[in-house]
Amino acid sequence: MKSYSDSYKSAGVDVTAGYKSVELMKQHVKSTYNDGVLQDIGGFGGLFMPNLTGMSEPVLVSGTDGVGTKLKLAFLLDKHDTVGIDCVAMCVNDVLCCGAKPLFFLDYIATGKLIPEKIASIVSGVAEGCRQAGAVLIGGETAEMPGFYPEDEYDLAGFTVGMVDKAKVIDGSKVAKGDVVIGISSSGVHSNGFSLVRKVFDLNSDKAYDNLMTKYDELGTTLGEALIVPTKIYVKAIEALTSAVEVKAISHITGGGFYENLPRMLPDGASVVCKKDFERPAIFSVLQKVGNIPERDMFNTFNMGVGMACVVKAEDADKAIEAIKSAGENAFVLGEIIEGDKEVIIK
């Protein structure tokens, strides 16, 4: 007998829509599978057997995050197939900072009204993010919550687990004066600072959609197209980098920008001097100009064109940049480690 409840449906929850969502998303989920997966979706837990070959002391590294108010753009543009990439990126890029390789990912989608096709579109983006990260989409949860969320809105969050051999954990403890900071380019705003973005471009008003459709010469696209670009996933770049040189520290540049995130990778007694004349996506200059935002606030809110910052020995800088570029990402010398009290100096 199939599960069905008229009473529950009258309260706003259609369980059959949930079943249809699962059927529609199955192809996307299975596209991420590898030999570590022991069970198909539908169980109460995701079973995964990691490959421990070459591991002396395997350490699990976990990370969780969401997409934030960037989702408001997805609602306005009715585009739901890329925010899943953002969700995966925000989680896996964090565990990369410890030197871990992502193993698997779980998502959580909560919505006011469950529309199977929309849910499947969201999950297609999550699956694409997992494929880019080399991680398995091993499970998740979809919750229909009428009266809690508006019918046409949803929230999206995720959780990942990665693994690294204890001897290869990257913790910043070896960072020393004279080391070089390598910046890896971002694709744009990524998934942070969108409360300010929405304020600057008046995306909380009735004019929001029209504003997103505005074309800027500097961008070469509409504002909406520039802002919805998904967060870069740096798994391949970091794997190439760590295979080529010793990486002493990694920082994922998210909310709080340079001033909040760079100190998180520094040991006591170290500070970092960063240059500000590096090439950055045009969206940042448009943001600063339209919003009349002070430069310090820009660097304290957005990634400014740097998705990840990695510390290597000065003599390894060229080799590090070459390795990152071989993985398809742009990289450049961003700054240098000096003595100090975890201060960030931008000049």
Side-chain angles (χ1 to χ4, degrees):
M1 182 178 179
K2 290 187 177 180
S3 174
Y4 180 79
S5 171
D6 282 323
S7 299
Y8 209 5
K9 188 174 182 180
S10 69
V13 179
D14 184 359
V15 293
T16 60
Y19 305 145
K20 184 178 180 181
S21 297
V22 173
E23 287 302 314
L24 291 176
M25 71 175 70
K26 272 187 176 181
Q27 60 175 321
H28 304 302
V29 175
K30 288 186 175 181
S31 72
T32 70
Y33 282 6
N34 59 30
D35 293 340
V37 180
L38 302 183
Q39 179 178 293
D40 201 354
I41 61 171
F44 289 97
L47 303 181
F48 186 85
M49 180 180 290
N51 183 353
L52 301 180
T53 303
M55 290 274 182
S56 298
E57 296 180 278
V59 176
L60 296 179
V61 182
S62 60
T64 185
D65 209 337
V67 182
T69 63
K70 185 176 184 177
L71 291 176
K72 288 286 189 179
L73 272 70
F75 306 155
L76 288 165
L77 297 171
D78 195 23
K79 181 174 175 56
H80 311 283
D81 60 347
T82 59
V83 288
I85 301 174
D86 289 294
C87 190
V88 175
M90 294 305 294
C91 297
V92 301
N93 288 344
D94 277 356
V95 303
L96 288 177
C97 294
C98 300
K101 175 180 174 57
L103 298 176
F104 57 81
F105 186 86
L106 296 94
D107 60 9
Y108 174 78
I109 306 169
T111 184
K113 182 174 177 60
L114 202 158
I115 302 172
E117 292 76 13
K118 181 185 285 188
I119 298 299
S121 182
I122 298 167
V123 174
S124 74
V126 177
E128 171 59 24
C130 286
R131 289 191 295 270
Q132 291 183 25
V136 171
L137 179 52
I138 201 168
E141 175 69 12
T142 303
E144 189 172 25
M145 301 170 65
F148 195 88
Y149 292 97
E151 286 194 357
D152 58 347
E153 295 191 2
Y154 56 85
D155 196 11
L156 173 62
F159 170 83
T160 194
V161 170
M163 185 169 65
V164 60
D165 204 0
K166 187 177 181 180
K168 296 181 179 180
V169 170
I170 298 172
D171 60 7
S173 60
K174 297 180 180 179
V175 172
K177 177 183 176 181
D179 287 339
V180 167
V181 181
I182 303 297
I184 310 180
S185 297
S186 71
S187 57
V189 183
H190 281 182
S191 299
N192 297 102
F194 273 87
S195 293
L196 180 54
V197 169
R198 290 185 300 115
K199 179 178 183 293
V200 167
F201 294 111
D202 196 18
L203 301 182
N204 301 311
S205 70
D206 293 339
K207 299 178 181 178
Y209 180 78
D210 290 339
N211 291 344
L212 286 175
M213 292 299 103
T214 301
K215 287 191 175 182
Y216 289 80
D217 291 339
E218 302 98 313
L219 301 177
T221 65
T222 65
L223 176 64
E225 288 172 318
L227 291 175
I228 201 68
V229 172
T231 307
K232 276 187 175 291
I233 291 173
Y234 295 102
V235 173
K236 292 179 181 178
I238 296 301
E239 284 183 347
L241 176 63
T242 54
S243 295
V245 301
E246 178 189 10
V247 181
K248 297 187 176 185
I250 305 176
S251 178
H252 182 199
I253 311 302
T254 56
F258 281 40
Y259 289 103
E260 181 176 319
N261 291 290
L262 290 178
R264 297 168 66 181
M265 70 176 178
L266 299 176
D268 291 340
S271 289
V272 58
V273 178
C274 294
K275 64 180 182 180
K276 62 181 179 181
D277 60 349
F278 54 86
E279 185 177 350
R280 62 188 71 151
I283 185 62
F284 294 109
S285 61
V286 174
L287 253 170
Q288 186 170 13
K289 182 172 66 175
V290 175
N292 192 28
I293 304 172
E295 189 164 77
R296 192 192 189 286
D297 287 359
M298 290 292 294
F299 276 93
N300 209 156
T301 307
F302 303 109
N303 67 63
M304 297 301 288
V306 180
M308 300 283 268
C310 310
V311 179
V312 301
K313 295 177 183 177
E315 58 264 34
D316 288 337
D318 290 342
K319 193 174 181 181
I321 291 172
E322 182 181 343
I324 294 167
K325 288 185 174 180
S326 73
E329 301 296 345
N330 183 50
F332 52 91
V333 173
L334 175 65
E336 180 184 5
I337 302 299
I338 62 171
E339 291 182 358
D341 188 22
K342 297 188 178 184
E343 186 180 4
V344 176
I345 302 166
I346 300 175
K347 61 180 183 179

